[in-house]
Amino acid sequence: MGEKKRPTSGCCDLIHSAKCLTMNLQNTSAAIPATGYAGDVSPELAWRWVQSGEAVLVDVRSDAEREWVGFVPGAVPLAWKQWPGMAMNPSFDAAIQAAVAAGQKAVLMCRSGVRSIAAAKRATELGLTAYNILEGFEGDADAEGHRGLRGGWRQRGLPWRQN
C-alpha cells in the first residue's frame, strides 16, 4: 500500500488530519462530529456563525498569546491555561457560562486547535453546545517550525488585529 499524504491545504497537525480532509471535502459547510463535544468546524464556518449571531467566539489562548500574536476583535478572551507555566484558569467555568447565552453555540479557538478541544469538552460538560475551530489562530508549523503560513484563522484572511 502507498503512503498516505496529508492534505495539502496546510490544514491541521496529525491528530486532526482525517478531520481536515473531511472538512476540505465538505467545503467547510458543516461541522464534523466529535466525541465529548459538539464537533469541529472550519474557521470560515465559525465566523459565519458568529456573524449571524448563532455563536460566540471564545479565544482560549493565553493573554500573552493574544497580546503578542494577535486577536480577533469581538472574541471573548478567556484563557484555558495561563502563561507562564500554562496553569489551568480557575475562572474558566464561570466565565464561559457567563459569555455564552442560552441557545447560542460556543466556538472555541486556540493557537492550533488542540487546547480548544479540551476547552470544548469542558464547556460541553457544563451544558453548552461547544465546537472546536480547526487549525486555530495560527495553523500548523511549517518545516522550519514557523506558524501562520499553513492554515489558521489569520492565514485564511478572517478578521484579526495585532497590538
Side-chain angles (χ1 to χ4, degrees):
M1 296 204 156
E3 182 180 325
K4 289 186 178 181
K5 293 185 178 183
R6 288 185 69 192
T8 58
S9 66
C11 202
C12 303
D13 58 26
L14 292 176
I15 64 172
H16 290 105
S17 61
K19 288 181 179 181
C20 287
L21 180 58
T22 302
M23 180 182 73
N24 288 338
L25 294 174
Q26 292 178 340
N27 195 24
T28 70
S29 63
I32 301 164
T35 302
Y37 58 103
D40 295 297
V41 296
S42 70
E44 294 88 351
L45 179 56
W47 183 237
R48 284 195 302 271
W49 285 354
V50 169
Q51 288 182 300
S52 72
E54 288 180 65
V56 173
L57 176 59
V58 181
D59 188 337
V60 301
R61 294 175 300 146
S62 69
D63 295 341
E65 287 173 290
R66 287 188 302 273
E67 187 69 26
W68 296 335
V69 180
F71 61 95
V72 177
V76 175
L78 178 56
W80 172 246
K81 294 183 175 182
Q82 202 57 276
W83 186 86
M86 300 310 280
M88 292 299 297
N89 178 356
S91 302
F92 181 84
D93 290 2
I96 197 162
Q97 288 174 313
V100 182
Q104 279 190 311
K105 301 169 187 170
V107 288
L108 291 89
M109 175 172 57
C110 66
R111 180 183 72 175
S112 60
V114 176
R115 278 175 287 169
S116 49
I117 290 174
K121 287 180 178 180
R122 179 62 187 148
T124 299
E125 290 170 359
L126 296 170
L128 300 174
T129 303
Y131 294 84
N132 167 57
I133 299 176
L134 290 167
E135 303 176 358
F137 188 74
E138 296 183 65
D140 284 346
D142 65 15
E144 288 79 40
H146 302 133
R147 292 190 185 272
L149 301 173
R150 295 184 54 204
W153 188 275
R154 290 189 320 179
Q155 191 272 338
R156 291 182 175 276
L158 297 167
W160 69 283
R161 291 185 51 200
Q162 193 167 32
N163 289 330

